[in-house]
Amino acid sequence: MFNQGQNSCIFVSGSKTLGVMHQNKKYYFTDSHACGERGAPARGYNGKAYIIECDTIEELVRILRRVVGSSSTAFAMYYIDVVPIDVENDELEEPQPIEDIVEHEPEPENNLPFVSMQTAVMAPIDYNQSIVENELEVSENVNEIVRKTKDNIVNVNHEKRAEEYAWYYLFPYGVHGLNEDRPVKITTLDYFQSRIVGQDTRFQRTDYLFYALHMMEYDRIRSTINTCGKKIRGKEGAIEDVHIQMRSIRGSSAYWRTAMNELIAFIKCVGPPAWFITLSCNDLNWLDMRKALLIADKRPGVDPASICIDEAQQLIEMYLVVLSRHFSRRVNAFMSHIKRNPGFLGGQVVDHWWRIEFQNRGSPHLHLLVWIRNVPSFDTPEGIALIDKVVSCSYPSEEEDPQMYNLVNRNQIHRHTHTCFKRKAHLCRFAFPRKPSRETKIIDENSPEFLQNGGRFCELRRAAHEKWVNNYCPEVLEFWDGNMDIQPCGSNEALAHYVTKYIAKAEPEDLNDGVKQAINRIRQEESDIQRKLFKICMRILKERQVSACECAYRLCHLPLRSGSRKCIFLNA
């Protein structure tokens, strides 16, 4: 253990630092921490600092093992020179008073100024810690601790490595964050796309997705306001039309307002659509979705049918980016399929328009408008025959059609939830249970029966045991294998405009009042228009309800809406 000429060392193992000395054929062990008489760590407050004398090296090794707690722990030894001297009591000098001690800084080397070193995570030894009561306001509730200090949030514009410091477990080396100096400049969107779409799935965690979306929108709003602020500086009333500045933010209220205007122009040019279809995401039961999640979890060999619902739910929560991208691919495959198969919806699809909406639980679903070539008017016998051919609400028996029975029973049976009774309504807003009918008929939009039917102008032929079955197209349901709804629109232009406003809706109405109050407060501030615009835009984005799937959609730049035609507005 001790080399020739070396009789003392510092023994380091894990978090333990001990002193060992060899002098006069004796071995000495010392530990400044509280320990027992045999060197083991003391329990409670009965321990003392000991110096233990050992006769043999084996006895010293046993004590070291007892202190460290294991015989296989790695250790390091740092040799030092210690020369014991005998000093008589008479020779001891009086300690020098503290006020006479002068601290000398080391001489600079090579004419360079001396800089005191300090680690990034440890405070200096002489750091004066503040009193807890001066920094924190502690109430009687032990779970409520409020920091008194204000304005202590790190500004991302001032701290270059704010991302590395905040997500230290994602950046263990503290480099290659958003603001890293790179030979080739990349945009904020490109940076976050490379992070969350890459093979490193650690960046797909939900909290990082929300952070990435905020940083992307912050950067885009700042660049947009800077550009527009120069154009409108000094003009009265320029702050009123804020949605012009925000329509480039995908998913914002201004974005969907622009989409609604384009869809209304679409309908005015080509006429009302034939079908209004809604397709939901059956993420828990789709085997192809489970397979994609298992591949992301690095378990490609596991059979997707063998995992339970709870495990599938855990995979969905872990890999929301995979879910969003897979749903987008399914939508594209469905659109290609209905275009290649005219018999699906009763004719050749000539035009379409769709958008992705996110439910309260965050799962995406598709709203689709379809235009069919040479579709008859639905208030004629030919039109009613087409409705009976495409739309169904039948509940087949298991013996008659086991495959369709399983699809309808799994996806199309309505069950009341809290969304059925929004705005304190006493009746289901989806008009369930629906009354039986011997034949399919068209309802006048001015009749009370139109409102009782949930705004649907078509009442399908329905048996008594089918009152809880939602409308579906058998071919589409078999292809999609998820909850769906289909209803005809026909030549009723007023109904088409109602569907347009519903399909292109943006924010929940209960958020509008809070946003308006915040905007009014910002308008009264004494600042320039550019700063006011920036604050208003950030306030509107802050009040939005965004799910993790929507974060993934917007960060991956997956399409939120699409149409077969593009609208261009010309000045009158």
Side-chain angles (χ1 to χ4, degrees), residues 398-448:
E398 189 173 4
E399 295 79 12
E400 178 185 356
D401 191 346
Q403 181 181 2
M404 187 57 61
Y405 168 80
N406 291 329
L407 288 173
V408 173
N409 190 52
R410 184 169 62 244
N411 300 310
Q412 294 302 115
I413 303 300
H414 178 81
R415 297 172 180 84
H416 285 318
T417 62
H418 67 281
T419 59
C420 297
F421 306 99
K422 283 186 176 180
R423 304 177 186 90
K424 299 181 180 180
H426 299 287
L427 298 177
C428 176
R429 66 189 184 98
F430 301 107
F432 281 100
R434 296 177 181 173
K435 65 178 183 179
S437 177
R438 294 183 178 180
E439 60 181 6
T440 301
K441 59 182 180 179
I442 303 300
I443 304 174
D444 186 7
E445 62 177 356
N446 297 321
S447 64

Side-chain angles (χ1 to χ4, degrees), residues 47 80 90 121 308 320 390 393 435 456 478 504 506:
I80 59 176
D90 297 336
V121 295
C308 61
L320 291 169
V390 176
C393 62
K435 65 178 183 179
R456 296 169 174 82
E478 185 177 357

Side-chain angles (χ1 to χ4, degrees), residues 55 81 97 102 155 278 291 326 390 432 467 482 534:
D55 295 328
D81 294 328
V102 179
N155 192 323
T278 300
K291 185 66 176 180
H326 192 82
V390 176
F432 281 100
K467 60 183 179 180
F534 180 78

Side-chain angles (χ1 to χ4, degrees), residues 261-275:
N261 294 335
E262 292 180 356
L263 184 55
I264 291 176
F266 197 135
I267 293 177
K268 286 184 177 180
C269 293
V270 301
W275 307 106

Side-chain angles (χ1 to χ4, degrees), residues 284-537:
L284 290 174
N285 298 311
W286 283 338
L287 295 182
D288 52 340
M289 178 74 76
R290 291 187 178 186
K291 185 66 176 180
L293 295 172
L294 288 171
I295 293 175
D297 200 43
K298 296 180 174 55
R299 293 187 291 165
V302 178
D303 184 10
S306 63
I307 64 176
C308 61
I309 294 294
D310 294 336
E311 187 176 358
Q313 180 66 35
Q314 292 178 359
L315 291 174
I316 289 172
E317 294 175 357
M318 292 171 58
Y319 305 107
L320 291 169
V321 175
V322 176
L323 183 146
S324 302
R325 297 179 68 190
H326 192 82
F327 183 80
S328 181
R329 290 177 178 270
R330 260 185 163 265
V331 170
N332 295 335
F334 174 75
M335 294 304 303
S336 300
H337 192 71
I338 63 174
K339 292 177 183 178
R340 292 196 303 263
N341 296 272
F344 253 46
L345 300 175
Q348 181 65 43
V349 176
V350 292
D351 283 300
H352 70 273
W353 192 95
W354 58 261
R355 71 158 288 184
I356 301 296
E357 191 179 13
F358 299 89
Q359 299 169 336
N360 288 336
R361 67 187 183 95
S363 182
H365 62 275
L366 174 75
H367 288 312
L368 171 65
L369 294 176
V370 178
W371 283 260
I372 303 296
R373 178 178 287 121
N374 300 326
V375 62
S377 178
F378 288 129
D379 54 1
T380 62
E382 293 80 6
I384 294 179
L386 180 61
I387 293 176
D388 288 334
K389 177 183 177 181
V390 176
V391 186
S392 174
C393 62
S394 63
Y395 195 2
S397 62
E398 189 173 4
E399 295 79 12
E400 178 185 356
D401 191 346
Q403 181 181 2
M404 187 57 61
Y405 168 80
N406 291 329
L407 288 173
V408 173
N409 190 52
R410 184 169 62 244
N411 300 310
Q412 294 302 115
I413 303 300
H414 178 81
R415 297 172 180 84
H416 285 318
T417 62
H418 67 281
T419 59
C420 297
F421 306 99
K422 283 186 176 180
R423 304 177 186 90
K424 299 181 180 180
H426 299 287
L427 298 177
C428 176
R429 66 189 184 98
F430 301 107
F432 281 100
R434 296 177 181 173
K435 65 178 183 179
S437 177
R438 294 183 178 180
E439 60 181 6
T440 301
K441 59 182 180 179
I442 303 300
I443 304 174
D444 186 7
E445 62 177 356
N446 297 321
S447 64
E449 195 175 3
F450 177 77
L451 298 177
Q452 295 175 2
N453 200 35
R456 296 169 174 82
F457 79 98
C458 177
E459 185 177 291
L460 294 178
R461 181 176 55 202
R462 188 185 301 268
H465 68 283
E466 299 168 346
K467 60 183 179 180
W468 296 102
V469 179
N470 197 17
N471 300 358
Y472 66 91
C473 174
E475 290 80 5
V476 174
L477 181 62
E478 185 177 357
F479 179 86
W480 185 256
D481 189 17
N483 177 257
M484 68 163 296
D485 181 47
I486 180 172
Q487 55 177 308
C489 293
S491 58
N492 192 323
E493 190 169 347
L495 180 62
H497 282 281
Y498 164 77
V499 172
T500 299
K501 292 182 179 180
Y502 173 79
I503 197 175
K505 66 180 184 293
E507 309 295 337
E509 295 180 359
D510 54 354
L511 295 179
N512 293 337
D513 295 337
V515 173
K516 290 179 181 178
Q517 294 177 3
I519 291 176
N520 291 332
R521 287 195 299 268
I522 295 174
R523 284 175 178 170
Q524 297 174 2
E525 294 181 359
E526 295 293 336
S527 59
D528 56 7
I529 294 179
Q530 184 175 354
R531 182 177 293 274
K532 287 183 179 181
L533 281 174
F534 180 78
K535 285 187 175 182
I536 289 176
C537 292

Side-chain angles (χ1 to χ4, degrees), residues 159-321:
E159 179 56 63
K160 180 180 179 180
R161 300 197 180 277
E163 182 180 13
E164 291 91 330
Y165 294 155
W167 308 95
Y168 57 91
Y169 39 85
L170 299 179
F171 300 89
Y173 299 102
V175 293
H176 304 310
L178 174 62
N179 299 320
E180 184 78 19
D181 294 330
R182 295 178 172 87
V184 179
K185 297 292 184 180
I186 60 175
T187 63
T188 304
L189 178 60
D190 292 337
Y191 168 78
F192 285 115
Q193 281 184 351
S194 65
R195 284 296 185 198
I196 67 176
V197 183
Q199 294 184 354
D200 191 354
T201 57
R202 296 179 302 127
F203 292 91
Q204 296 184 12
R205 50 185 297 145
T206 305
D207 48 3
Y208 187 81
L209 292 179
F210 284 110
Y211 159 76
L213 180 65
H214 174 78
M215 293 302 299
M216 185 196 70
E217 291 181 342
Y218 176 84
D219 181 74
R220 182 162 294 181
I221 284 292
R222 185 177 58 179
S223 60
T224 304
I225 293 300
N226 287 340
T227 303
C228 298
K230 295 177 182 178
K231 296 180 180 179
I232 63 178
R233 185 183 299 274
K235 293 185 178 180
E236 295 294 334
I239 198 173
E240 297 290 336
D241 202 6
V242 183
H243 77 277
I244 295 179
Q245 321 301 334
M246 295 191 61
R247 60 186 176 187
S248 62
I249 305 297
R250 299 192 328 137
S252 63
S253 179
Y255 175 86
W256 290 118
R257 189 187 310 174
T258 303
M260 184 181 66
N261 294 335
E262 292 180 356
L263 184 55
I264 291 176
F266 197 135
I267 293 177
K268 286 184 177 180
C269 293
V270 301
W275 307 106
F276 174 36
I277 303 174
T278 300
L279 301 176
S280 298
C281 180
N282 191 10
D283 44 15
L284 290 174
N285 298 311
W286 283 338
L287 295 182
D288 52 340
M289 178 74 76
R290 291 187 178 186
K291 185 66 176 180
L293 295 172
L294 288 171
I295 293 175
D297 200 43
K298 296 180 174 55
R299 293 187 291 165
V302 178
D303 184 10
S306 63
I307 64 176
C308 61
I309 294 294
D310 294 336
E311 187 176 358
Q313 180 66 35
Q314 292 178 359
L315 291 174
I316 289 172
E317 294 175 357
M318 292 171 58
Y319 305 107
L320 291 169
V321 175

Side-chain angles (χ1 to χ4, degrees), residues 132-187:
V132 176
E133 288 74 9
N134 294 339
E135 295 292 333
L136 301 178
E137 180 180 349
V138 183
S139 64
E140 295 180 357
N141 184 3
V142 295
N143 295 323
E144 182 182 357
I145 299 178
V146 182
R147 187 172 182 87
K148 290 183 177 180
T149 308
K150 296 182 179 180
D151 300 330
N152 58 350
I153 300 177
V154 175
N155 192 323
V156 294
N157 291 327
H158 300 161
E159 179 56 63
K160 180 180 179 180
R161 300 197 180 277
E163 182 180 13
E164 291 91 330
Y165 294 155
W167 308 95
Y168 57 91
Y169 39 85
L170 299 179
F171 300 89
Y173 299 102
V175 293
H176 304 310
L178 174 62
N179 299 320
E180 184 78 19
D181 294 330
R182 295 178 172 87
V184 179
K185 297 292 184 180
I186 60 175
T187 63

Side-chain angles (χ1 to χ4, degrees), residues 103-115:
E103 183 178 356
H104 296 280
E105 295 184 357
E107 293 293 333
E109 297 181 3
N110 299 329
N111 297 326
L112 294 177
F114 173 76
V115 180

